[in-house]
Amino acid sequence: MRISPELMAEYDKAKESKKLERKGLENVEWSAPIPFEEHSLPPFPVDVFPDWLRKYVEGVAESTQTPIDAPVIAAISILSTSLAKKFHVQLTAEWKESLNTYTILALPPGNRKSSVFKALQEPITTFEKEERELLAIEVSQQKVRMKAKQKRVEHLEREYGKSGEKTALDEIMALNNEIDQEEVICLPRYVCEDVTPEKLADLMAENKEKMALLSAEGGGIFSIMAGRYAADGKANIEIFLKGFSGDYCAVDRIGREAKILNEPALTIGLFIQPDVVQDVPNIFQERGLMPRFLYSFPPSLVGYRKITPKPIEPEVKKQYNETIKQLMEIKGQEDIPLTLSDSAKKVEIALRGEIEKMFLEGGTLAEMKEWGSKLAGQIIRFAGLLHIAENVQSLVNGSMSKQINEITFNKARQLTSYFIEHAKVAYGCMGCDEDAKDAKYLLEVIKRQNKMEVAYRDIQLLTNKRFKKAIRLKSSFNELEERGFVYKKYIGKKIVYEVNPYFLDPNKYGYMTYKHSETQRENEIESSDTQRTTDYSSYNNKMNTEESVGSVGKRSNDGGTLPNHEKKAIEANVGYVGIESKKVIQCGKDLII
């Protein structure tokens, strides 16, 4: 026996009544929505820096009205640019860490990233300009000498071809030997920006196998890595992989001399927009490029910035510029090994033990093993940079200790949680599926309208280039409604979405500091289930009041108690009347009494 048409008609009537009831709702009791990223990001512990650097990054952050993270991450890149291939940290005979770093800071447009980068990079670009001017004459004279010798060789080769005299041959060989033995002087380069892998290899070969790729608009370099200028259009990231770890790298090209880099040290410091991380090709992650980066995703201050901020104190800026210049002036044929003191070694071993436990199932780094496997080395590199930054004057005087003490290493260790939490955000972006991207895009479109209500049709017109099919747009709206960003209602036949005021005005409602906890989520699920049960009970009571339901397909007046077969249907999770109608119909078709 199947559910009767009469009962299904009553059910449809109840469903329509529920729909009409929702249409008439005017007021919605809002609560803070469930954000897409539920990370509570720690601030950068800027006190780890020595005073000369801490005061400057704080001054830059204040004067540019940017998060402190921006000048801090830039400062790490600047220290790396100054000290890579001059020092390294020697842990064991087989394990050493260079002082070059890969960093990414992600901020939306309009956050004055260029101003921050310029303020931190200025002493390096100034030093580079001065060095190039000093060497310009010497480089020019060497080119003239080399050209003259080459012309002489060509002349002698013609003479020898005619006469075959041994004296001519001897002179040719002597000149060629002089040309080969003379070290070519190149105008120094310390920093580059958007550069192809082949050109980067040339620059590193000409500059003692080191280079810094720094950019305030760093999205372009990822396009180049992905193969924008490659003849075959394929990604070419070999030099970026080996430039971090210092592995042997040979760049061969047809018709040109191969570039051999025995122990390259590349520094990468990029300021980018968050979408750039989200859209990186999968091969970057698979080949291990993205795990080489330290990430920072600070909150934007746009809308909350001071109109007349305090400028950087001249003395603070002067000390910063002079100190970076002193680090740039350090010369040396070989990089100097730094070691850890005995107490610092214990801290370092404890750190690696803590990180190892994070790889276990359910651990902090269980889903980021590739990135986490490099974290201890990253902290060691920062400890080396910090040690030099703390001891610049003794370094200049030649009295600097080459041992990193426990205090300095503990300062570097403080960054562990900072970089882990920010890497979670980066990996959340990189792992973001298309449905989540669509929902976030739709949320931004709704936010730009700045209205308490938006019509479905209006949003559809604004987003028709992205949402080619209506089903994708509706799916994204459903995602936003489940998270509490919007609420669907009807005005006649018109679909309208009310927008959560917590989202529209975070300053008033405090949404910026909202974090949706697991307890809240469980309470909401429990509340939702209770509401469904209540909806079913309301409908059932209504039926009992008018006419109690007897067996399926027939009515009775037995006092309003549900028959056993209906109880069994409910226990079997047939569905909730008025809420999960599809389940009721689908299950009802096959329900045999």
Side-chain angles (χ1 to χ4, degrees), residues 546-563:
E546 296 176 357
E547 290 181 294
S548 298
V549 179
S551 62
V552 177
K554 138 177 161 181
R555 303 181 183 281
S556 68
N557 294 308
D558 61 2
T561 303
L562 281 174

Side-chain angles (χ1 to χ4, degrees), residues 191-409:
V191 176
C192 63
E193 198 167 347
D194 288 349
V195 60
T196 64
E198 293 79 13
K199 183 60 179 176
L200 180 59
D202 290 341
L203 289 172
M204 296 184 76
E206 294 170 359
N207 291 275
K208 300 180 179 179
E209 298 190 344
K210 64 176 286 186
M211 185 55 55
L213 199 165
L214 308 178
S215 177
E217 300 293 339
I221 189 62
F222 285 114
S223 297
I224 295 173
M225 291 178 186
R228 181 201 293 175
Y229 300 122
D232 56 4
K234 294 182 179 179
N236 184 356
I237 59 175
E238 204 69 25
I239 192 168
F240 301 100
L241 297 174
K242 295 181 176 179
F244 177 84
S245 53
D247 295 333
Y248 172 89
C249 181
V251 180
D252 297 301
R253 286 163 291 182
I254 298 175
R256 297 184 61 183
E257 181 184 357
K259 296 296 180 180
I260 305 297
L261 304 174
N262 293 296
E263 201 169 348
L266 177 63
T267 293
I268 301 181
L270 305 176
F271 281 12
I272 61 176
Q273 297 179 24
D275 287 349
V276 174
V277 178
Q278 180 174 300
D279 296 332
V280 294
N282 290 334
I283 193 172
F284 288 7
Q285 182 68 19
E286 294 166 359
R287 292 284 307 280
L289 177 62
M290 304 314 291
R292 284 163 162 76
F293 283 92
L294 295 172
Y295 297 93
S296 179
F297 279 68
S300 171
L301 299 185
V302 174
Y304 304 92
R305 297 177 294 197
K306 297 178 184 177
I307 305 303
T308 54
K310 183 181 177 181
I312 304 172
E313 296 180 10
E315 187 59 34
V316 170
K317 183 174 183 178
K318 179 183 178 183
Q319 186 177 13
Y320 170 78
N321 288 339
E322 290 179 349
T323 305
I324 295 298
K325 183 179 180 181
Q326 287 176 320
L327 296 179
M328 292 295 295
E329 288 175 338
I330 298 172
K331 306 292 183 182
Q333 296 300 318
E334 296 182 0
D335 55 342
I336 299 170
L338 304 174
T339 59
L340 301 180
S341 67
D342 291 340
S343 55
K345 284 179 183 177
K346 293 179 181 178
V347 176
E348 187 273 325
I349 292 171
L351 171 64
R352 281 190 283 132
E354 292 172 5
I355 292 173
E356 192 66 25
K357 292 178 181 178
M358 296 180 190
F359 295 135
L360 296 174
E361 184 176 353
T364 305
L365 297 175
E367 303 301 322
M368 301 189 302
K369 291 185 176 68
E370 297 85 356
W371 183 86
S373 65
K374 293 177 172 54
L375 181 56
Q378 299 273 28
I379 297 301
I380 291 167
R381 292 185 183 208
F382 183 75
L385 295 174
L386 199 56
H387 176 75
I388 303 298
E390 291 174 338
N391 296 281
V392 177
Q393 294 309 313
S394 59
L395 172 64
V396 173
N397 298 332
S399 59
M400 185 191 76
S401 170
K402 295 180 178 61
Q403 269 200 346
I404 301 172
N405 60 39
E406 181 183 358
I407 295 174
T408 299
F409 197 89

Side-chain angles (χ1 to χ4, degrees), residues 412-432:
R413 186 184 184 182
Q414 289 182 43
L415 303 185
T416 306
S417 61
Y418 175 88
F419 285 122
I420 287 175
E421 294 304 316
H422 285 257
K424 286 180 183 178
V425 178
Y427 272 68
C429 287
M430 287 185 274
C432 187

Side-chain angles (χ1 to χ4, degrees), residues 536 563-575:
Y536 176 84
N564 288 333
H565 62 265
E566 290 197 50
K567 289 180 180 178
K568 290 179 180 178
I570 295 169
E571 290 170 0
N573 197 25
V574 169

